[in-house]
Each structure stands twice: as C-alpha cells, then as structure tokens.
C-alpha cells in the first residue's frame, strides 16, 4: 500500500495516478483514457475493458 499521496487521482481504467482527467459516475478517468474511450469503437477491446472496469466498480460500491 502506498502512503504517499500526490494531488493526482487514480484513473479507474488504467489504474495509474494522473493529475488531469474528468469524473464520471463518481469515478476518475484520466485524459488519456478519455480520449481512447471517445475514439474507441463499441466492439473495441479497449471499450470492453472500460465497460468491465465500470461494472467492477459498481459491484465494489454495491457490496461495501
Ligand atoms: Zn487512465
């Protein structure tokens, strides 16, 4: 577990700490991933990964 905190937030898609991005459904998505999602086709592997991350987070939120 990391104890040091930067002012960045952890992107829900790539799970890396970034300081620029947006919040969607109370989750943080970095600019890089946002662009990938915007340009991804709905049958894209990346888009599927994004959706599965969303689903995962909803499950985590529901069970806590
Ligand atoms: Zn990201």
């Amino acid at each position: 577990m990391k104890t040091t905190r930067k002012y960045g937030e952890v992107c829900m898609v790539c799970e890396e700490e970034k300081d620029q991005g947006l919040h969607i459904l109370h989750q943080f998505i970095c600019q890089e991933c946002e662009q990938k999602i915007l340009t991804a086709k709905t049958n894209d592997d990346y888009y599927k990964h994004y959706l599965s991350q969303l689903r995962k987070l909803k499950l985590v939120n529901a069970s806590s």
Side-chain angles (χ1 to χ4, degrees):
M1 287 263 283
K2 279 191 233 171
T3 49
T4 46
R5 264 188 76 88
K6 297 176 201 166
Y7 47 85
E9 289 184 71
V10 176
C11 170
M12 57 162 281
V13 183
C14 61
E15 297 178 331
E16 284 173 34
E17 212 165 81
K18 303 286 172 75
D19 43 0
Q20 284 201 312
L22 76 153
H23 290 95
I24 186 164
L25 301 172
H26 307 290
Q27 299 298 331
F28 179 75
I29 297 179
C30 72
Q31 268 190 343
E32 205 178 303
C33 289
E34 185 207 355
Q35 286 307 308
K36 285 185 190 169
I37 291 157
L38 288 176
T39 56
K41 305 277 196 299
T42 49
N43 61 347
D44 223 331
D45 279 348
Y46 190 84
Y47 194 81
K48 286 176 190 168
H49 171 69
Y50 164 68
L51 288 180
S52 71
Q53 290 291 86
L54 272 185
R55 240 175 264 130
K56 193 170 80 179
L57 286 163
K58 277 185 188 170
L59 287 173
V60 167
N61 289 342
S63 60
S64 62

